[in-house]
Amino acid sequence: MFVICLDGVAPNEVLDHLLEGIRSRLTNDPEEERVVVADELRRLARERLVDALRGAGL
């Protein structure tokens, strides 16, 4: 599985950020990649929660 959080990345930087992430992670062993994926999922969840709370006026 490959997950990368692009929240907060400027639209004109998305491709560069994505390619850099792929290149840097290609050599990860499965355990390293699980750790990175978990971190990316936490970042995604945190950003979505913050967005939801802002939408609720909190």
Coordinates of all heavy atoms in Angstrom, one line a residue:
M1 N 0.8 -1.2 0.0 CA 0.0 0.0 0.0 C 0.9 1.2 0.0 O 1.9 1.3 0.6 CB -0.9 0.0 1.2 CG -1.8 1.2 1.3 SD -2.7 1.5 2.8 CE -3.8 0.1 2.8
F2 N 0.5 2.2 -0.7 CA 1.2 3.5 -0.8 C 0.3 4.6 -0.5 O -0.7 4.8 -1.2 CB 1.9 3.7 -2.2 CG 2.8 4.9 -2.2 CD1 4.1 4.8 -1.8 CD2 2.3 6.1 -2.6 CE1 4.9 5.9 -1.8 CE2 3.1 7.2 -2.7 CZ 4.4 7.1 -2.3
V3 N 0.5 5.4 0.6 CA -0.3 6.5 0.9 C 0.6 7.7 1.1 O 1.7 7.6 1.7 CB -1.0 6.2 2.3 CG1 -1.8 7.5 2.7 CG2 -1.9 5.0 2.2
I4 N 0.2 8.8 0.6 CA 0.9 10.1 0.8 C 0.0 11.2 1.0 O -1.0 11.3 0.3 CB 1.9 10.4 -0.4 CG1 2.8 11.5 -0.1 CG2 1.1 10.6 -1.7 CD1 4.0 11.6 -1.0
C5 N 0.2 12.0 2.0 CA -0.7 13.1 2.4 C -0.2 14.3 1.6 O 1.0 14.7 1.7 CB -0.6 13.4 3.9 SG -1.6 14.8 4.4
L6 N -1.1 14.9 0.8 CA -0.7 16.1 0.1 C -1.4 17.3 0.6 O -1.4 18.4 -0.1 CB -1.1 15.9 -1.4 CG -0.2 14.8 -2.1 CD1 -0.8 14.5 -3.5 CD2 1.2 15.1 -2.2
D7 N -2.1 17.2 1.7 CA -2.7 18.4 2.3 C -1.7 19.5 2.6 O -0.6 19.2 3.1 CB -3.4 18.0 3.7 CG -4.7 17.2 3.5 OD1 -5.2 17.1 2.3 OD2 -5.1 16.6 4.4
G8 N -2.0 20.7 2.3 CA -1.1 21.8 2.6 C -0.1 22.0 1.5 O 0.7 22.9 1.6
V9 N -0.1 21.1 0.5 CA 0.9 21.3 -0.6 C 0.3 22.2 -1.7 O -0.9 21.9 -2.1 CB 1.3 19.9 -1.2 CG1 2.3 20.1 -2.4 CG2 2.0 19.1 -0.1
A10 N 1.0 23.2 -2.1 CA 0.4 24.0 -3.2 C 0.2 23.2 -4.4 O 0.9 22.3 -4.8 CB 1.4 25.2 -3.5
P11 N -0.9 23.5 -5.1 CA -1.2 22.8 -6.4 C -0.1 22.7 -7.4 O 0.1 21.6 -8.0 CB -2.4 23.6 -7.0 CG -3.0 24.2 -5.8 CD -1.9 24.6 -4.8
N12 N 0.7 23.7 -7.5 CA 1.8 23.6 -8.4 C 3.0 22.8 -7.9 O 3.9 22.6 -8.7 CB 2.3 25.1 -8.8 CG 2.8 25.8 -7.7 OD1 2.4 25.6 -6.5 ND2 3.7 26.8 -8.0
E13 N 2.9 22.4 -6.7 CA 4.0 21.6 -6.1 C 3.6 20.1 -5.9 O 4.4 19.3 -5.4 CB 4.5 22.2 -4.8 CG 5.1 23.6 -4.9 CD 5.4 24.2 -3.6 OE1 5.2 23.5 -2.5 OE2 5.8 25.4 -3.6
V14 N 2.4 19.8 -6.1 CA 1.9 18.4 -5.8 C 2.7 17.4 -6.6 O 3.1 16.4 -6.0 CB 0.3 18.3 -6.2 CG1 -0.1 16.9 -6.2 CG2 -0.5 19.1 -5.2
L15 N 2.9 17.5 -7.9 CA 3.6 16.5 -8.6 C 5.0 16.3 -8.1 O 5.4 15.2 -7.9 CB 3.6 16.8 -10.1 CG 4.3 15.8 -11.0 CD1 3.6 14.4 -10.9 CD2 4.2 16.3 -12.5
D16 N 5.7 17.4 -7.8 CA 7.1 17.3 -7.3 C 7.1 16.6 -6.0 O 7.9 15.7 -5.7 CB 7.7 18.7 -7.2 CG 8.1 19.3 -8.5 OD1 8.2 18.5 -9.5 OD2 8.2 20.5 -8.6
H17 N 6.1 16.9 -5.1 CA 6.1 16.3 -3.8 C 5.7 14.8 -3.9 O 6.4 14.0 -3.2 CB 5.0 17.1 -3.0 CG 4.9 16.7 -1.5 ND1 5.8 17.2 -0.6 CD2 4.1 15.8 -0.8 CE1 5.5 16.7 0.6 NE2 4.5 15.9 0.5
L18 N 4.8 14.5 -4.7 CA 4.5 13.1 -4.9 C 5.6 12.3 -5.5 O 5.9 11.2 -4.9 CB 3.3 13.0 -5.9 CG 2.7 11.6 -6.2 CD1 2.2 11.0 -4.9 CD2 1.6 11.7 -7.2
L19 N 6.3 12.8 -6.5 CA 7.4 12.1 -7.1 C 8.6 11.9 -6.0 O 9.2 10.9 -6.0 CB 7.9 12.8 -8.3 CG 7.0 12.7 -9.5 CD1 7.5 13.6 -10.7 CD2 6.8 11.3 -10.0
E20 N 8.8 13.0 -5.3 CA 9.9 12.9 -4.3 C 9.5 11.8 -3.2 O 10.4 11.1 -2.8 CB 10.1 14.3 -3.6 CG 11.3 14.4 -2.7 CD 11.0 13.9 -1.3 OE1 9.9 14.1 -0.8 OE2 11.9 13.2 -0.7
G21 N 8.3 11.8 -2.8 CA 7.8 10.8 -1.9 C 8.0 9.4 -2.4 O 8.5 8.5 -1.7
I22 N 7.6 9.2 -3.6 CA 7.8 7.8 -4.2 C 9.3 7.5 -4.3 O 9.6 6.4 -3.9 CB 7.2 7.8 -5.6 CG1 5.6 7.9 -5.5 CG2 7.6 6.6 -6.4 CD1 4.9 8.2 -6.8
R23 N 10.1 8.4 -4.8 CA 11.5 8.0 -4.9 C 12.1 7.7 -3.5 O 12.9 6.8 -3.4 CB 12.3 9.2 -5.5 CG 12.0 9.4 -7.0 CD 12.9 10.5 -7.5 NE 12.5 10.8 -8.9 CZ 11.9 12.0 -9.2 NH1 11.8 12.9 -8.3 NH2 11.5 12.2 -10.4
S24 N 11.8 8.5 -2.5 CA 12.4 8.3 -1.2 C 11.9 7.0 -0.5 O 12.6 6.5 0.4 CB 12.1 9.5 -0.3 OG 10.8 9.6 0.1
R25 N 10.8 6.5 -0.9 CA 10.2 5.3 -0.3 C 10.3 4.0 -1.0 O 10.0 3.0 -0.5 CB 8.7 5.6 0.0 CG 8.6 6.7 1.1 CD 7.2 7.2 1.2 NE 6.2 6.2 1.5 CZ 4.9 6.5 1.6 NH1 4.4 7.7 1.4 NH2 4.0 5.5 1.9
L26 N 10.8 4.1 -2.3 CA 11.0 2.9 -3.1 C 11.8 1.8 -2.4 O 11.6 0.6 -2.6 CB 11.5 3.2 -4.4 CG 10.5 3.7 -5.4 CD1 11.3 4.1 -6.7 CD2 9.5 2.7 -5.8
T27 N 12.8 2.2 -1.6 CA 13.7 1.2 -1.0 C 13.3 0.8 0.4 O 14.0 0.0 1.0 CB 15.2 1.8 -1.0 OG1 15.1 3.0 -0.2 CG2 15.7 2.0 -2.4
N28 N 12.2 1.3 0.9 CA 11.7 0.9 2.2 C 11.4 -0.6 2.2 O 10.8 -1.1 1.3 CB 10.5 1.7 2.6 CG 10.7 3.1 3.0 OD1 11.9 3.6 3.0 ND2 9.7 3.9 3.3
D29 N 11.8 -1.2 3.3 CA 11.3 -2.6 3.5 C 9.9 -2.5 4.0 O 9.4 -1.4 4.4 CB 12.3 -3.4 4.4 CG 12.3 -2.8 5.9 OD1 11.2 -2.5 6.4 OD2 13.4 -2.8 6.5
P30 N 9.2 -3.6 4.0 CA 7.8 -3.6 4.4 C 7.5 -3.0 5.8 O 6.5 -2.2 5.9 CB 7.3 -5.1 4.4 CG 8.2 -5.7 3.3 CD 9.6 -5.0 3.5
E31 N 8.3 -3.2 6.7 CA 8.1 -2.7 8.1 C 8.3 -1.1 8.1 O 7.5 -0.4 8.6 CB 9.0 -3.3 9.1 CG 8.7 -2.8 10.5 CD 7.3 -3.0 11.0 OE1 6.6 -4.0 10.6 OE2 6.8 -2.1 11.7
E32 N 9.3 -0.7 7.4 CA 9.5 0.8 7.3 C 8.4 1.4 6.6 O 7.9 2.5 7.0 CB 10.8 1.1 6.5 CG 12.1 0.9 7.2 CD 13.3 1.1 6.2 OE1 13.3 0.5 5.2 OE2 14.1 2.0 6.6
E33 N 7.9 0.8 5.6 CA 6.8 1.4 4.8 C 5.5 1.4 5.6 O 4.7 2.4 5.6 CB 6.6 0.7 3.5 CG 5.6 1.3 2.6 CD 5.9 2.8 2.2 OE1 7.1 3.2 2.3 OE2 5.0 3.5 1.8
R34 N 5.3 0.4 6.5 CA 4.1 0.4 7.3 C 4.1 1.6 8.3 O 3.1 2.2 8.5 CB 4.0 -0.9 8.1 CG 3.3 -2.0 7.4 CD 3.0 -3.2 8.3 NE 4.2 -4.0 8.6 CZ 4.7 -4.9 7.8 NH1 4.1 -5.2 6.6 NH2 5.7 -5.6 8.1
V35 N 5.3 1.9 8.8 CA 5.5 3.0 9.7 C 5.2 4.3 9.0 O 4.4 5.2 9.5 CB 6.9 3.0 10.3 CG1 7.1 4.3 11.1 CG2 7.1 1.8 11.2
V36 N 5.7 4.5 7.8 CA 5.5 5.7 7.0 C 4.0 5.8 6.6 O 3.4 6.9 6.7 CB 6.3 5.7 5.7 CG1 6.0 6.9 4.8 CG2 7.8 5.7 6.1
V37 N 3.4 4.7 6.2 CA 1.9 4.7 5.8 C 1.1 5.1 7.0 O 0.2 6.0 6.9 CB 1.5 3.4 5.2 CG1 0.0 3.3 5.2 CG2 2.1 3.2 3.9
A38 N 1.4 4.6 8.2 CA 0.7 4.9 9.4 C 0.8 6.4 9.7 O -0.2 7.1 10.1 CB 1.1 4.1 10.6
D39 N 2.0 7.0 9.5 CA 2.2 8.4 9.8 C 1.4 9.2 8.8 O 0.7 10.2 9.1 CB 3.7 8.7 9.7 CG 3.9 10.2 10.1 OD1 3.4 10.6 11.1 OD2 4.6 10.9 9.3
E40 N 1.4 8.8 7.5 CA 0.7 9.6 6.5 C -0.8 9.5 6.8 O -1.6 10.5 6.6 CB 1.0 9.0 5.1 CG 2.4 9.2 4.6 CD 2.7 10.7 4.4 OE1 2.0 11.4 3.6 OE2 3.7 11.2 5.0
L41 N -1.3 8.3 7.2 CA -2.8 8.2 7.5 C -3.1 9.1 8.7 O -4.2 9.7 8.7 CB -3.1 6.8 7.8 CG -3.1 5.9 6.6 CD1 -3.3 4.4 7.0 CD2 -4.3 6.3 5.6
R42 N -2.2 9.2 9.7 CA -2.5 10.1 10.8 C -2.6 11.5 10.4 O -3.4 12.3 10.8 CB -1.4 9.9 11.9 CG -1.6 8.8 12.8 CD -0.7 8.8 14.0 NE 0.7 8.5 13.6 CZ 1.2 7.3 13.4 NH1 0.5 6.3 13.6 NH2 2.5 7.1 13.1
R43 N -1.7 11.9 9.5 CA -1.7 13.3 9.0 C -3.0 13.6 8.2 O -3.6 14.6 8.4 CB -0.5 13.5 8.0 CG 0.8 13.6 8.8 CD 2.0 13.8 7.8 NE 1.8 15.1 7.0 CZ 2.3 15.3 5.8 NH1 3.0 14.3 5.2 NH2 2.1 16.4 5.2
L44 N -3.4 12.6 7.4 CA -4.7 12.8 6.6 C -5.8 12.9 7.6 O -6.7 13.8 7.4 CB -4.9 11.6 5.7 CG -4.1 11.6 4.4 CD1 -4.1 10.2 3.8 CD2 -4.6 12.7 3.5
A45 N -5.9 12.1 8.6 CA -7.0 12.1 9.5 C -7.0 13.4 10.3 O -8.1 14.0 10.5 CB -6.9 10.9 10.5
R46 N -5.9 13.8 10.8 CA -5.8 15.1 11.5 C -6.2 16.3 10.7 O -7.0 17.1 11.2 CB -4.3 15.3 12.0 CG -4.1 16.5 12.8 CD -2.7 16.7 13.4 NE -1.7 16.4 12.4 CZ -0.8 15.4 12.5 NH1 -0.8 14.6 13.5 NH2 0.1 15.3 11.6
E47 N -5.8 16.3 9.4 CA -6.2 17.5 8.6 C -7.7 17.4 8.3 O -8.4 18.5 8.3 CB -5.5 17.4 7.2 CG -4.0 17.8 7.4 CD -3.8 19.2 7.9 OE1 -4.6 20.1 7.4 OE2 -2.9 19.4 8.7
R48 N -8.3 16.3 8.1 CA -9.7 16.2 7.9 C -10.5 16.5 9.2 O -11.6 17.2 9.1 CB -10.1 14.8 7.4 CG -9.6 14.6 6.0 CD -9.9 13.3 5.3 NE -9.3 13.3 4.0 CZ -9.2 12.3 3.3 NH1 -9.6 11.1 3.8 NH2 -8.7 12.3 2.1
L49 N -10.0 16.1 10.3 CA -10.7 16.5 11.6 C -10.6 18.0 11.8 O -11.6 18.6 12.2 CB -10.0 15.8 12.7 CG -10.6 16.0 14.1 CD1 -12.0 15.6 14.2 CD2 -9.8 15.2 15.2
V50 N -9.5 18.6 11.5 CA -9.3 20.1 11.7 C -10.3 20.8 10.7 O -11.0 21.7 11.1 CB -7.9 20.5 11.5 CG1 -7.8 22.0 11.3 CG2 -7.0 20.0 12.6
D51 N -10.4 20.3 9.5 CA -11.3 20.9 8.5 C -12.7 20.8 9.0 O -13.5 21.7 8.9 CB -11.1 20.3 7.1 CG -9.8 20.7 6.5 OD1 -9.2 21.7 6.9 OD2 -9.4 20.0 5.5
A52 N -13.1 19.6 9.5 CA -14.5 19.4 10.0 C -14.8 20.3 11.2 O -15.9 20.8 11.2 CB -14.7 17.9 10.4
L53 N -13.8 20.4 12.1 CA -14.1 21.3 13.2 C -14.2 22.8 12.8 O -15.0 23.5 13.4 CB -13.0 21.1 14.3 CG -13.0 19.8 15.0 CD1 -11.7 19.6 15.8 CD2 -14.2 19.5 15.8
R54 N -13.4 23.2 11.8 CA -13.5 24.5 11.3 C -14.9 24.8 10.7 O -15.5 25.8 10.9 CB -12.4 24.8 10.3 CG -11.1 25.1 10.9 CD -10.1 25.6 9.8 NE -8.8 25.6 10.4 CZ -7.7 25.1 9.9 NH1 -7.8 24.4 8.7 NH2 -6.6 25.1 10.4
G55 N -15.4 23.7 10.0 CA -16.7 23.8 9.3 C -17.8 23.9 10.4 O -18.9 24.4 10.1
A56 N -17.5 23.3 11.5 CA -18.6 23.3 12.6 C -18.5 24.6 13.4 O -19.2 24.8 14.4 CB -18.4 22.1 13.5
G57 N -17.6 25.5 13.1 CA -17.4 26.8 13.8 C -16.6 26.6 15.1 O -16.7 27.5 16.0
L58 N -15.8 25.6 15.3 CA -15.1 25.4 16.5 C -13.6 25.9 16.3 O -13.0 25.9 15.4 CB -15.0 23.9 16.9 CG -16.4 23.3 17.2 CD1 -16.3 21.9 17.5 CD2 -17.1 24.0 18.4

